[in-house]
Amino acid sequence: MLFRTTLWAKRARIVGVRVARLVSIGATRLLPGIRYLLRSLHRKWRRSLQFRTVLTTLMLAIASFAVVGAYLSNQIANNLFQERLVQAESETRYNVKQVQDTFDGAQVTDQSSVITLVYDTLNAVEGRGSVIQRRYVFEAMPEQTKPRNRWVESRASDQLTISVIPTELRKAVQNSGKEQFWASTEFPVGTEDRPGIAVGNKVTFNGTVYELYLIYDLNTAQKTLDEIQNVLLAGGAVLALLIGAVAWYVTRNVVSPVSHAALVSEKLAAGQLQERMVVKGEDEVARLGASFNHMAASLQEQITQLATLSQMQQRFVSDVSHELRTPLTTVRMAAEVLYDARDDFDPINKRSAELLYNQVERFQSLLADLLEISRFDAGVATLDAEPGDIVQLVSHVLEGVAPVAGEYGSQVTLNAPAESIIVDMDDRRIDRILRNLVLNALEHGDGRPVNISVAANDTSVAVAVRDHGIGMTAAEAARVFDRFWRADPARARTTGGSGLGLSIAAEDTKLHNGWLQAWGRTDGGANFRLTLPLRQGETITKSPLQLEPVDVGLHGGDGQRTMLLLDPSPVAAADGSNQAAGGGHDAGPGAAATAGPGSTDPESMDPFPVSADHPVGTDPGTAGPGTKEGS
């Protein structure tokens, strides 16, 4: 027995594991389909007004039909039952009276005659062939003295028993006198249970009190009720489908023009200004379509005028810039001749020659920037990207701006990895961006230190240019890349370049699919961060450098180098040469010296920790106070 029990338990576990596996496989294959269906319905519900309207109408119609159908079915069932009940009570009184009269007038003394009389009398009240089929249960009341001639204890039709009579009904009949009671019940007929009404009374025969129950079959009424319910259900389903079809047709006539208007609006937004709505009829939808077409025509006319005006302006700038190059070259040559001979002039003419030379240089720079901007506006600017070392490019830029740093008296430092960082870039454009940012930092740095940091992660590289000058506010940082914008419009243009430098830098950055962002704080300096993807076609998700800097010292270490470009310290000025504080290398205006950890001033340098930042362009949300002017 123990062995068999163990064997059957093991088999049960195996069967359970197999069933669980089948259920798991079925759920695994079924649940994705269910989720996909639910997502599709949810998407359709959110995006289709017609689907939402039709489905809502169907749900409300079905709910209404369910409530009305339930009410009608309940009323019909109650009416049928009450009708059968009244008829059953009336017939029972009549038949019980006949039975009692028959028993009272019987003159039988032997057992056989008594049994025959009871059988014939009860069969007479069974009512076979009538509209309502009656069945009976004849039972002697318990707890009464049994006479010697009681030859009938119980009798029932169709093999029924007293158990089909509800207990509450029996108690009511046993405790009553001549009253009549009824109760709903179920009784077996063949292999099915049928609903019925049991009506109970007392009868007396040969001194014995009997319980006589007549059971009325309600199967016919139940079938009638089922047929009525089926008709209501079918009618409700057909009506729901018809209502759904009507709702679909009506909403289609209303929603289709709206959908068409949405489609035409999308095409207009995409630049297809010739698109119009199809107008039919003279109703509200037709008037809406006509108004929409009128609005589209007006917008097309205005956009065309603006586009034509913009093209004329761009062409004008480009043509004027090209036409000015030849006379400007002549004027520049003449200005150079006068500038070279200025020592032979009197002070007034000498000053005029110097002013003419400087302003011609500035005019030529402005003309070059205007030509570059016109290329961006015309969409002809192209990117010639090749792999290159951005650290070497930054060092080259810093060497080029060394004389300017010496003129302003700013110490310039570079914090970059010791190894190379290879980036797919257009060297000419990146050189222009970095040169513009560094010159801006020197110009607006008030002679304070300027720090350049370079860092890279798996997908991008960042270069940050940090100065400690006048800074800018958040509102100014949001406009720092606008063309010809200045922080103080009333300020004379004695400093800065054409005012297009940062705008051109932003356009060059967009060509590289990169970020150019600005941060500043009033009287706390500014920080410009350039972030580029390492490989063309990749998307930047996080910049390796933080936009808002942390003003702490830099400490050179393994894998990191710090370059001191220019240190205009009093000691160096007194000695007539520039030297790195701890490196002992000469660092003239055109040279760069590599310094160790002890060669830099910790208070003048600030690193940029790695952090995630916000996306493209100038980020007003993260920009702090301060501003820069376009150089």
Side-chain angles (χ1 to χ4, degrees):
M1 290 296 296
L2 180 61
F3 173 76
R4 290 182 178 180
T5 303
T6 306
L7 181 62
W8 281 106
K10 186 179 296 185
R11 290 178 178 177
R13 285 197 300 270
I14 293 174
V15 172
V17 169
R18 290 179 179 177
V19 171
R21 186 179 303 169
L22 290 175
V23 172
S24 176
I25 293 174
T28 303
R29 295 181 178 179
L30 188 61
L31 287 179
I34 296 176
R35 285 197 295 266
Y36 175 77
L37 179 61
L38 292 177
R39 285 196 299 267
S40 300
L41 291 176
H42 184 256
R43 183 168 57 253
K44 191 72 172 177
W45 174 271
R46 288 187 295 105
R47 302 185 62 180
S48 176
L49 177 61
Q50 183 177 5
F51 176 79
R52 190 161 60 246
T53 303
V54 173
L55 187 59
T56 303
T57 304
L58 279 177
M59 293 173 63
L60 292 176
I62 291 173
S64 301
F65 291 154
V67 173
V68 174
Y71 174 77
L72 292 177
S73 177
N74 184 62
Q75 291 298 316
I76 293 172
N78 288 336
N79 291 336
L80 289 175
F81 182 80
Q82 291 297 328
E83 181 182 356
R84 299 297 186 269
L85 178 61
V86 171
Q87 188 174 1
E89 288 182 328
S90 176
E91 291 186 1
T92 300
R93 290 190 184 92
Y94 176 76
N95 286 281
V96 168
K97 184 177 182 304
Q98 282 189 331
V99 170
Q100 188 62 58
D101 291 344
T102 302
F103 286 166
D104 292 341
Q107 300 294 328
V108 291
T109 56
D110 59 293
Q111 181 179 2
S112 176
S113 300
V114 170
I115 293 174
T116 301
L117 176 64
V118 171
Y119 177 75
D120 293 341
T121 303
L122 294 178
N123 283 343
V125 301
E126 194 171 11
R128 295 183 181 276
S130 61
V131 176
I132 300 180
Q133 296 293 326
R134 290 187 298 271
R135 291 168 177 81
Y136 65 87
V137 174
F138 189 69
E139 182 78 17
M141 286 186 59
E143 299 179 0
Q144 61 177 327
T145 303
K146 182 178 180 180
R148 288 177 301 177
N149 59 350
R150 190 203 295 175
W151 293 298
V152 179
E153 286 291 335
S154 64
R155 192 170 186 84
S157 60
D158 292 341
Q159 299 180 351
L160 295 179
T161 62
I162 194 64
S163 60
V164 301
I165 307 301
T167 304
E168 293 79 5
L169 178 59
R170 291 201 63 190
K171 290 181 179 179
V173 171
Q174 291 172 1
N175 296 329
S176 67
K178 297 296 182 178
E179 294 85 357
Q180 178 174 275
F181 298 92
W182 66 272
S184 298
T185 185
E186 287 187 350
F187 59 95
V189 177
T191 58
E192 63 176 347
D193 290 336
R194 293 185 179 181
I197 299 175
V199 184
N201 286 271
K202 286 182 181 180
V203 294
T204 305
F205 181 52
N206 283 347
T208 303
V209 180
Y210 290 89
E211 303 170 27
L212 177 58
Y213 300 96
L214 297 184
I215 303 173
Y216 293 84
D217 192 350
L218 298 182
N219 190 52
T220 303
Q222 183 63 44
K223 289 182 178 180
T224 303
L225 180 62
D226 292 340
E227 291 178 0
I228 293 174
Q229 290 177 343
N230 292 333
V231 170
L232 290 175
L233 182 61
V238 172
L239 283 177
L241 292 177
L242 290 176
I243 291 175
V246 171
W248 176 83
Y249 178 76
V250 172
T251 54
R252 179 176 177 272
N253 290 336
V254 176
V255 174
S256 293
V258 178
S259 301
H260 182 54
L263 181 61
V264 173
S265 300
E266 293 175 356
K267 291 183 178 180
L268 288 174
Q272 302 178 22
L273 302 179
Q274 73 283 355
E275 289 292 329
R276 296 292 183 272
M277 287 185 62
V278 178
V279 179
K280 296 181 181 180
E282 299 179 357
D283 55 8
E284 291 83 355
V285 177
R287 292 199 298 272
L288 173 63
S291 301
F292 183 89
N293 290 340
H294 178 71
M295 178 189 67
S298 177
L299 288 176
Q300 181 182 12
E301 182 180 356
Q302 295 180 14
I303 291 174
T304 303
Q305 291 177 356
L306 291 175
T308 303
L309 179 61
S310 177
Q311 291 177 359
M312 292 175 59
Q313 290 176 343
Q314 294 174 11
R315 190 179 301 112
F316 173 77
V317 172
S318 179
D319 293 343
V320 169
S321 301
H322 280 88
E323 292 298 329
L324 286 177
R325 296 186 70 176
T326 300
L328 181 62
T329 303
T330 304
V331 173
R332 181 183 178 184
M333 293 174 60
E336 288 178 351
V337 171
L338 294 175
Y339 183 77
D340 291 339
R342 68 186 183 279
D343 293 335
D344 299 333
F345 300 158
D346 57 82
I348 296 177
N349 291 331
K350 180 180 180 180
R351 180 56 179 167
S352 299
E354 291 175 350
L355 290 175
L356 176 63
Y357 177 80
N358 292 331
Q359 293 304 316
V360 167
E361 288 287 339
R362 185 167 183 170
F363 188 21
Q364 189 172 18
S365 176
L366 173 61
L367 187 60
D369 289 343
L370 286 174
L371 286 172
E372 188 66 21
I373 283 292
S374 67
R375 294 189 188 97
F376 284 117
D377 291 339
V380 297
T382 58
L383 186 67
D384 186 15
E386 293 181 355
D389 184 5
I390 196 170
V391 178
Q392 182 179 357
L393 182 62
V394 173
S395 301
H396 174 72
V397 171
L398 295 183
E399 291 175 1
V401 300
V404 181
E407 180 182 351
Y408 284 104
S410 296
Q411 175 181 297
V412 181
T413 54
L414 170 64
N415 181 41
E419 66 277 2
S420 300
I421 301 177
I422 305 301
V423 185
D424 291 343
M425 60 181 176
D426 189 331
D427 292 349
R428 179 180 65 87
R429 296 183 183 277
I430 300 302
D431 181 276
R432 181 166 59 192
I433 296 173
L434 296 177
R435 190 177 301 275
N436 184 279
L437 296 181
V438 175
L439 290 176
N440 260 356
L442 292 173
E443 181 178 348
H444 300 280
D446 291 341
R448 298 173 184 173
V450 175
N451 311 123
I452 295 91
S453 298
V454 183
N457 55 24
D458 294 337
T459 59
S460 60
V461 63
V463 180
V465 180
R466 170 79 161 104
D467 67 72
H468 301 79
I470 59 176
M472 54 184 171
T473 64
E476 293 167 344
R479 300 192 57 192
V480 72
F481 297 103
D482 294 348
R483 299 178 184 180
F484 300 107
W485 180 83
R486 297 178 71 88
D488 185 3
R491 187 169 134 200
R493 289 186 178 270
T494 57
T495 61
S498 63
L500 296 173
L502 289 179
S503 300
I504 295 174
E507 296 293 342
D508 287 334
T509 304
K510 290 180 181 178
L511 286 179
H512 287 81
N513 195 26
W515 300 348
L516 182 57
Q517 297 162 291
W519 170 91
R521 183 174 57 236
T522 304
D523 296 329
N527 181 46
F528 284 78
R529 182 184 65 184
L530 171 66
T531 308
L532 301 173
L534 291 178
R535 289 163 292 276
Q536 285 297 311
E538 293 186 349
T539 302
I540 302 174
T541 57
K542 182 177 67 173
S543 180
L545 293 177
Q546 183 172 305
L547 181 60
E548 182 176 353
V550 179
D551 292 322
V552 295
L554 287 176
H555 301 284
D558 295 339
Q560 195 78 4
R561 64 184 177 187
T562 302
M563 178 179 4
L564 179 63
L565 172 66
L566 180 65
D567 186 7
S569 61
V571 176
D575 294 340
S577 63
N578 295 318
Q579 290 186 339
H585 301 289
D586 291 336
T594 303
S599 64
T600 59
D601 181 9
E603 295 299 322
S604 65
M605 305 174 63
D606 49 354
F608 301 84
V610 175
S611 68
D613 288 293
H614 301 287
V616 185
T618 303
D619 190 352
T622 58
T627 191
K628 275 276 189 212
E629 296 177 5
S631 70

